[in-house]
Amino acid sequence: MTATSSRRLAAILVADVVGYSRLMEADEAGTLAALKERRKGILEPVVREHGGRIVKVMGDGVLIELASAVNAVKAALELQRQFAVANDPLPDDRRILLRIGINLGDVIGEGSDIYGEGVNIAARLEALAEPGGICISAKVHDEVRGKIECGFIDLGEQSLKNIATPVQTYMTAGPGAGGTARPLLLVQSRPSIAVLPFLNMSGDPEQVYFAEGISEDLIAEFSKFRSLFVISRNSTLSIKNRPADLKQLSARLGARYIVEGSVRRAGNRLRIAAQLVDALEDLHLWAGHFDRQLQDMFDVQDEVVRAIVSAIEPQLLSSERNRAMRKPPENLDAWENYQRGSWHLFRYRREDRQLTLDLFMRAIELDPGFAPAHAGLSYAYYSHIILGSSPDAAADRDQALIAGKQAVNLDEYDPFAYVALARAYMLRTDHEAALIASDKAIRLNPSFALAHFGRGHCLWHQGRCAEAVSSIDEAMQLSPNDPMTWSFMASKAIALSLNGELDQAIIWSRQAQRQNNAAIFAHVGEVCALGLQDRREEAVDAVKRARTTMPDVSVSHLDKVLPITHAPSRETFLRGLRSSGLPE
């Protein structure tokens, strides 16, 4: 600190205009005039009324200092209410929405400016908030609880960029939140999920701890998926004597999706049942039960938790994609554009290229800091290069790497960002960097099937085929009903063919071809293996079926988009393709 600076405790409010660049591009003069009007007519009077001061205006954002957390939250709620009223007569594409973050912390004052970690945390919380919403730190929550007529959704501990320690975070909900007439349930940009305490159905008090342990471990495992908002354990434990109405319960927790279950012991056998419910739509999305011999309690707990998470996560994302597909395109927010883009991406259809890219780009336009959209864009460039539907593969290869690196820069804890970056590195034959990125994704979330698959895919490009098969098997075990199952099987078939396990390669390749959305690569393992076995008639038929999927598939195309850097493996691969009769 300098001689003119001072340190003090303050409530810091950071607000930012959502989609500022889009508004300016559409109507620069009109946007500037509207912002000036909102500042004079709403912002300045509200701040003044609540005893605060505007520290500085930063283009599309504003930094405000207030004397108390209560005044800060009241000011934020009033700002969102008045902005909502002003937006009401406007079309959707001209509405000015705010995100607001509030923190209570130490600041350093220097002249009229303030800075320090207290300010930095408020800025990071703003980035987490919904359009029209407010995010607050635990310190603010403790100060305002019971003093403001507003509900709060516990988002758990959030890792904020450049902040060393995770911050317990809350989002406002209920009457007045965001200034809109929304129900108590505040639907997040990402799907929110609550794991209820599992019920002990055994009549054995010792099983209570086991049931609660499963719930606690499920919360921990789901929290590793950056695509989910997971309601904290404290919040779910607070409604242990829960109402029968799941809609009412989900509203109290702020969660669209509910996981509930039970544990029943009979002698030396244990049955764990679980189900996933979309509480808003009153839909049962998945249900399953697991029967186990009760030997090592902790081993059983770990195994069952992993099985439940692996079954639920793809079902939940599939539900989100289907929900996004049902909405009119003009009403999609960033998350829904991302989910719709993912739906098209994992169809692996050449004709979907531009639509897929446009959806991810639209998600980024709506929320430039949304890391999964950048990761999806990177993966889309990769996919359409290997499908042969890229008009300029060199340019798209560069874009894949740029988008992948941007995803990691925006969220260094997102495993999907590293999966996408790994694929971008593979396109450049930098398989070592791809393997490092894949391993990072697995360390962040050991239950993420796509990360294990990406690792295996990378390994056989390096000639490490047995290791590749092991990683791909791990992916299939983690997510046996994954929409990407065909590609897991297809990649395993190629690895087996390169490893000389030709009969197994044919079996897995044909199994891949029977899956939904199977693309050209489902055929490659069979074509290669039949060529290596000199089974001419079957090879001709396999090539014919492959060319039905992709009429212009050729040896040179597969050599280019599956860049095997291990010379003996590449020689085996090309010899098998050529011997099968695949055109050069």
Side-chain angles (χ1 to χ4, degrees):
M1 291 196 303
T2 67
T4 58
S5 63
S6 62
R7 188 181 291 276
R8 60 181 178 270
L9 183 69
I12 307 103
L13 185 156
V14 175
D16 185 72
V17 175
V18 178
Y20 177 74
S21 298
R22 172 182 57 81
L23 291 166
M24 290 289 284
E25 185 178 347
D27 182 3
E28 182 175 341
T31 298
L32 289 173
L35 287 174
K36 184 177 179 180
E37 182 181 336
R38 297 280 177 103
R39 178 180 175 182
K40 294 294 183 185
I42 299 177
L43 179 66
E44 291 178 358
V46 167
V47 172
R48 193 163 51 243
E49 180 186 344
H50 291 86
R53 72 178 184 95
I54 297 174
V55 177
K56 56 185 172 183
V57 176
M58 308 157 288
D60 58 340
V62 61
L63 173 62
I64 299 167
E65 180 184 5
L66 299 105
S68 77
V70 171
N71 281 2
V73 175
K74 285 183 175 179
L77 290 168
E78 184 61 19
L79 280 174
Q80 295 291 31
R81 189 191 69 77
Q82 292 196 31
F83 265 63
V85 171
N87 282 332
D88 193 52
L90 300 177
D92 287 347
D93 61 351
R94 300 306 304 155
R95 294 184 175 189
I96 299 175
L97 298 172
L98 296 180
R99 288 190 180 92
I100 296 178
I102 306 173
N103 183 40
L104 180 66
D106 227 22
V107 300
I108 299 169
E110 197 162 272
S112 63
D113 203 359
I114 57 173
Y115 59 94
E117 188 172 73
V119 176
N120 295 339
I121 289 174
R124 298 303 182 198
L125 291 172
E126 174 270 310
L128 286 179
E130 285 284 292
I134 304 163
C135 261
I136 65 174
S137 66
K139 290 180 180 178
V140 175
H141 180 260
D142 290 345
E143 289 293 319
V144 305
R145 186 168 43 192
K147 301 173 186 174
I148 292 178
E149 290 185 9
C150 176
F152 295 95
I153 296 169
D154 186 348
L155 302 182
E157 289 190 341
Q158 298 289 323
S159 297
L160 306 180
K161 191 170 183 180
N162 297 329
I163 304 297
T165 306
V167 175
Q168 185 76 22
T169 305
Y170 296 83
M171 188 173 279
T172 53
T180 58
R182 301 174 76 179
L184 180 56
L185 173 63
L186 179 62
V187 180
Q188 317 293 348
S189 59
R190 292 177 286 173
S192 47
I193 181 170
V195 180
L196 302 185
F198 273 43
L199 299 175
N200 173 27
M201 308 293 287
S202 306
D204 178 1
E206 289 186 10
Q207 299 307 309
V208 171
Y209 301 106
F210 180 73
E212 289 185 354
I214 286 184
S215 305
E216 189 172 339
D217 284 358
L218 283 172
I219 290 170
E221 289 301 310
F222 281 125
S223 296
K224 294 174 183 175
F225 290 94
R226 303 290 279 183
S227 57
L228 305 178
F229 271 121
V230 184
I231 306 304
S232 75
R233 176 176 177 270
N234 288 343
S235 293
T236 55
L237 281 177
S238 70
I239 45 89
K240 205 166 184 180
N241 298 318
R242 51 185 181 257
D245 186 350
L246 284 183
K247 277 194 176 183
Q248 178 188 348
L249 192 148
S250 71
R252 283 174 58 183
L253 290 172
R256 181 185 189 99
Y257 297 98
I258 299 289
V259 177
E260 59 179 353
S262 62
V263 175
R264 185 187 300 274
R265 180 177 180 177
N268 204 37
R269 291 194 63 80
L270 200 64
R271 166 165 286 200
I272 299 103
Q275 65 174 348
L276 172 68
V277 178
D278 180 339
L280 282 187
E281 301 289 342
D282 196 22
L283 291 174
H284 282 72
L285 300 177
W286 172 86
H289 65 266
F290 306 87
D291 294 316
R292 296 292 186 271
Q293 287 287 339
L294 191 58
Q295 296 169 346
D296 188 312
M297 185 77 81
F298 293 108
D299 286 347
V300 170
Q301 183 171 320
D302 290 345
E303 180 191 346
V304 170
V305 164
R306 199 174 191 191
I308 293 172
V309 170
S310 300
I312 283 178
E313 190 265 344
Q315 288 288 337
L316 191 149
L317 290 184
S318 175
S319 172
E320 286 291 293
R321 286 168 192 163
N322 291 335
R323 190 168 65 84
M325 292 301 292
R326 293 194 297 267
K327 288 191 71 171
E330 63 273 13
N331 291 348
L332 299 178
D333 61 19
W335 169 256
E336 290 160 340
N337 274 283
Y338 164 70
Q339 284 299 334
R340 189 173 278 199
S342 298
W343 188 89
H344 286 285
L345 168 63
F346 294 121
R347 277 164 44 95
Y348 283 94
R349 296 292 182 261
R350 284 176 157 188
E351 59 271 22
D352 287 358
R353 176 185 184 273
Q354 196 56 51
L355 176 58
T356 306
L357 296 177
D358 287 347
L359 286 163
F360 287 129
M361 289 176 180
R362 176 63 175 154
I364 291 168
E365 180 187 358
L366 290 169
D367 187 351
F370 185 35
H374 292 272
L377 183 63
S378 175
Y379 209 107
Y381 279 121
Y382 159 81
S383 298
H384 285 282
I385 288 172
I386 66 172
L387 286 171
S389 47
S390 172
D392 186 343
D396 281 1
R397 190 164 53 243
D398 291 342
Q399 290 301 315
L401 187 62
I402 291 168
K405 286 183 174 180
Q406 178 70 348
V408 168
N409 287 338
L410 287 167
D411 189 348
E412 60 184 313
Y413 299 102
D414 184 357
F416 182 49
Y418 288 96
V419 167
L421 182 59
R423 292 307 176 102
Y425 280 131
M426 286 178 65
L427 287 173
R428 309 176 84 84
T429 67
D430 191 348
H431 298 320
E432 197 55 43
L435 190 60
I436 290 170
S438 297
D439 286 341
K440 175 70 171 176
I442 291 169
R443 283 197 299 275
L444 288 169
N445 186 355
S447 298
F448 192 27
L450 198 59
H452 290 276
F453 164 55
R455 184 177 193 274
H457 200 68
C458 175
L459 284 168
W460 61 254
H461 282 72
Q462 299 179 60
R464 298 162 63 180
C465 298
E467 292 177 74
V469 170
S470 178
S471 284
I472 296 167
D473 282 344
E474 179 76 2
M476 290 193 289
Q477 183 179 351
L478 280 169
S479 190
N481 299 313
D482 200 289
M484 293 285 287
T485 294
W486 75 266
S487 57
F488 297 175
M489 295 174 174
S491 188
K492 178 176 179 176
I494 298 173
L496 289 166
S497 68
L498 299 182
N499 207 39
E501 300 175 68
L502 303 180
D503 290 337
Q504 283 296 307
I506 292 166
I507 290 170
W508 280 102
S509 180
R510 288 175 177 172
Q511 195 168 339
Q513 293 165 42
R514 290 193 289 270
Q515 308 302 310
N516 290 334
N517 294 332
I520 179 60
F521 299 99
H523 299 265
V524 173
E526 180 188 16
V527 169
C528 180
L530 289 171
L532 290 170
Q533 289 185 323
D534 202 25
R535 292 159 62 175
R536 297 290 178 85
E537 286 188 21
E538 291 175 84
V540 167
D541 178 64
V543 169
K544 183 179 179 181
R545 283 184 280 110
R547 300 195 77 194
T548 300
T549 303
M550 182 177 173
D552 55 349
V553 65
S554 64
V555 174
S556 60
H557 172 72
L558 294 177
D559 184 32
K560 188 182 302 180
V561 300
L562 299 173
I564 302 170
T565 52
H566 182 250
S569 295
R570 179 170 179 262
E571 189 279 328
T572 298
F573 184 61
L574 296 179
R575 176 162 49 87
L577 296 180
R578 288 173 176 139
S579 298
S580 71
L582 189 69
E584 193 64 37

Coordinates of all heavy atoms in Angstrom, one line a residue, residues 193-195 215-230 259 276 305 308-313 316 445:
I193 N -29.0 -30.1 -9.9 CA -29.4 -31.5 -9.4 C -29.2 -31.6 -7.9 O -28.2 -31.0 -7.4 CB -28.5 -32.5 -10.2 CG1 -28.9 -33.9 -9.7 CG2 -27.0 -32.3 -10.0 CD1 -28.3 -35.0 -10.6
A194 N -30.1 -32.2 -7.3 CA -30.1 -32.4 -5.8 C -30.1 -33.9 -5.5 O -30.9 -34.6 -6.1 CB -31.2 -31.7 -5.1
V195 N -29.2 -34.3 -4.7 CA -29.2 -35.7 -4.3 C -29.8 -35.8 -2.9 O -29.2 -35.3 -1.9 CB -27.8 -36.3 -4.2 CG1 -27.8 -37.8 -3.8 CG2 -27.1 -36.2 -5.6
S215 N -25.3 -41.0 -0.4 CA -25.7 -39.7 -0.8 C -24.6 -38.7 -0.8 O -24.4 -37.9 -1.8 CB -26.8 -39.1 0.2 OG -27.8 -40.1 0.3
E216 N -23.7 -38.7 0.2 CA -22.6 -37.7 0.3 C -21.6 -38.0 -0.9 O -21.1 -37.0 -1.5 CB -21.9 -37.9 1.6 CG -20.9 -36.8 1.9 CD -20.4 -36.9 3.3 OE1 -21.1 -37.5 4.2 OE2 -19.3 -36.4 3.6
D217 N -21.3 -39.2 -1.1 CA -20.4 -39.6 -2.2 C -21.0 -39.2 -3.6 O -20.2 -38.8 -4.5 CB -20.0 -41.0 -2.2 CG -19.0 -41.4 -1.1 OD1 -18.6 -40.4 -0.4 OD2 -18.7 -42.5 -0.9
L218 N -22.3 -39.4 -3.8 CA -22.9 -39.0 -5.0 C -22.8 -37.5 -5.3 O -22.5 -37.1 -6.4 CB -24.4 -39.4 -5.0 CG -24.7 -40.9 -5.3 CD1 -26.2 -41.2 -5.1 CD2 -24.2 -41.3 -6.7
I219 N -23.0 -36.7 -4.2 CA -22.9 -35.3 -4.3 C -21.4 -34.9 -4.7 O -21.2 -34.1 -5.6 CB -23.2 -34.6 -3.0 CG1 -24.8 -34.7 -2.8 CG2 -22.8 -33.1 -3.0 CD1 -25.2 -34.3 -1.4
A220 N -20.5 -35.6 -4.1 CA -19.1 -35.3 -4.4 C -18.7 -35.7 -5.9 O -18.0 -34.9 -6.6 CB -18.1 -36.1 -3.5
E221 N -19.2 -36.8 -6.3 CA -18.9 -37.2 -7.7 C -19.6 -36.4 -8.7 O -19.0 -36.0 -9.8 CB -19.3 -38.7 -7.9 CG -18.5 -39.7 -7.2 CD -17.0 -39.6 -7.6 OE1 -16.7 -39.6 -8.8 OE2 -16.1 -39.5 -6.7
F222 N -20.9 -36.0 -8.5 CA -21.6 -35.1 -9.5 C -20.9 -33.8 -9.5 O -21.0 -33.1 -10.6 CB -23.1 -35.0 -9.1 CG -23.9 -36.2 -9.5 CD1 -24.7 -36.8 -8.5 CD2 -24.0 -36.6 -10.8 CE1 -25.5 -37.9 -8.9 CE2 -24.8 -37.6 -11.2 CZ -25.5 -38.3 -10.2
S223 N -20.4 -33.3 -8.4 CA -19.7 -32.0 -8.4 C -18.5 -31.9 -9.3 O -18.1 -30.8 -9.7 CB -19.3 -31.6 -7.0 OG -20.4 -31.5 -6.1
K224 N -18.0 -33.1 -9.7 CA -16.8 -33.1 -10.7 C -17.2 -32.8 -12.1 O -16.4 -32.5 -12.9 CB -16.1 -34.4 -10.6 CG -15.5 -34.7 -9.2 CD -14.9 -36.1 -9.1 CE -14.3 -36.3 -7.7 NZ -13.9 -37.7 -7.6
F225 N -18.5 -32.9 -12.4 CA -19.0 -32.5 -13.7 C -19.3 -31.1 -13.8 O -20.3 -30.6 -13.1 CB -20.3 -33.4 -14.1 CG -20.0 -34.8 -14.3 CD1 -20.1 -35.7 -13.2 CD2 -19.6 -35.3 -15.5 CE1 -19.9 -37.1 -13.4 CE2 -19.3 -36.6 -15.7 CZ -19.5 -37.5 -14.7
R226 N -18.5 -30.3 -14.5 CA -18.7 -28.9 -14.6 C -20.0 -28.4 -15.3 O -20.4 -27.3 -15.2 CB -17.5 -28.2 -15.3 CG -16.2 -28.6 -14.6 CD -16.0 -27.9 -13.3 NE -15.5 -26.5 -13.4 CZ -15.3 -25.7 -12.4 NH1 -15.4 -26.2 -11.2 NH2 -14.9 -24.5 -12.6
S227 N -20.6 -29.4 -15.9 CA -21.9 -29.1 -16.6 C -23.1 -29.0 -15.6 O -24.2 -28.7 -16.0 CB -22.1 -30.1 -17.7 OG -22.2 -31.4 -17.1
L228 N -22.8 -29.4 -14.4 CA -23.9 -29.5 -13.4 C -23.8 -28.5 -12.3 O -22.7 -28.2 -11.8 CB -24.0 -30.9 -12.8 CG -24.1 -32.0 -13.8 CD1 -24.1 -33.4 -13.0 CD2 -25.3 -31.9 -14.6
F229 N -24.9 -27.9 -11.8 CA -25.0 -27.2 -10.5 C -25.5 -28.3 -9.5 O -26.6 -28.8 -9.7 CB -26.0 -26.1 -10.6 CG -25.4 -24.8 -11.0 CD1 -25.9 -24.1 -12.1 CD2 -24.4 -24.2 -10.3 CE1 -25.4 -22.9 -12.5 CE2 -23.8 -23.0 -10.7 CZ -24.3 -22.3 -11.8
V230 N -24.7 -28.5 -8.5 CA -25.0 -29.6 -7.6 C -25.4 -28.9 -6.2 O -24.6 -28.2 -5.7 CB -23.9 -30.6 -7.4 CG1 -24.3 -31.7 -6.4 CG2 -23.5 -31.2 -8.7
V259 N -32.3 -36.7 -7.4 CA -31.8 -38.1 -7.3 C -32.3 -38.6 -5.9 O -31.9 -37.9 -4.9 CB -30.3 -38.3 -7.5 CG1 -29.9 -39.7 -7.3 CG2 -29.9 -37.8 -8.8
L276 N -33.7 -41.1 -11.0 CA -33.5 -39.7 -11.4 C -34.8 -39.2 -11.9 O -35.5 -39.8 -12.8 CB -32.4 -39.6 -12.6 CG -32.3 -38.3 -13.2 CD1 -31.6 -37.3 -12.3 CD2 -31.4 -38.4 -14.5
V305 N -21.8 -46.1 -6.1 CA -21.8 -44.7 -6.4 C -21.3 -44.5 -7.8 O -21.9 -43.7 -8.5 CB -20.9 -43.9 -5.3 CG1 -20.6 -42.6 -5.8 CG2 -21.6 -43.9 -4.0
I308 N -24.0 -45.5 -10.3 CA -25.2 -44.6 -10.3 C -24.8 -43.3 -11.1 O -25.5 -42.9 -12.0 CB -25.6 -44.3 -8.9 CG1 -26.2 -45.5 -8.2 CG2 -26.7 -43.1 -8.9 CD1 -26.6 -45.3 -6.8
V309 N -23.6 -42.8 -10.8 CA -23.2 -41.6 -11.5 C -23.0 -41.8 -13.0 O -23.5 -41.0 -13.8 CB -21.9 -41.0 -10.9 CG1 -21.3 -39.9 -11.7 CG2 -22.1 -40.5 -9.5
S310 N -22.4 -42.9 -13.3 CA -22.2 -43.3 -14.7 C -23.5 -43.5 -15.5 O -23.6 -43.2 -16.7 CB -21.3 -44.5 -14.9 OG -20.1 -44.3 -14.2
A311 N -24.5 -43.9 -14.8 CA -25.8 -44.1 -15.5 C -26.6 -42.8 -15.6 O -27.3 -42.6 -16.6 CB -26.7 -45.2 -14.7
I312 N -26.5 -42.0 -14.6 CA -27.3 -40.8 -14.5 C -26.8 -39.6 -15.4 O -27.6 -38.9 -16.1 CB -27.5 -40.3 -13.1 CG1 -28.5 -41.2 -12.4 CG2 -27.9 -38.9 -13.0 CD1 -28.7 -40.9 -10.9
E313 N -25.5 -39.4 -15.4 CA -24.9 -38.2 -16.1 C -25.3 -38.1 -17.5 O -25.8 -37.1 -18.0 CB -23.4 -38.1 -15.9 CG -22.8 -36.8 -16.3 CD -22.2 -36.9 -17.7 OE1 -22.1 -38.0 -18.2 OE2 -22.0 -35.8 -18.3
L316 N -29.1 -37.4 -17.9 CA -29.4 -36.0 -17.6 C -29.1 -35.1 -18.7 O -29.9 -34.2 -19.1 CB -28.7 -35.6 -16.3 CG -29.1 -34.3 -15.6 CD1 -28.9 -34.4 -14.1 CD2 -28.3 -33.2 -16.2
N445 N -11.8 -35.5 -13.2 CA -13.0 -36.3 -13.0 C -12.8 -37.7 -13.5 O -13.0 -38.0 -14.7 CB -14.2 -35.7 -13.8 CG -15.5 -36.4 -13.5 OD1 -15.5 -37.4 -12.8 ND2 -16.6 -35.9 -14.1

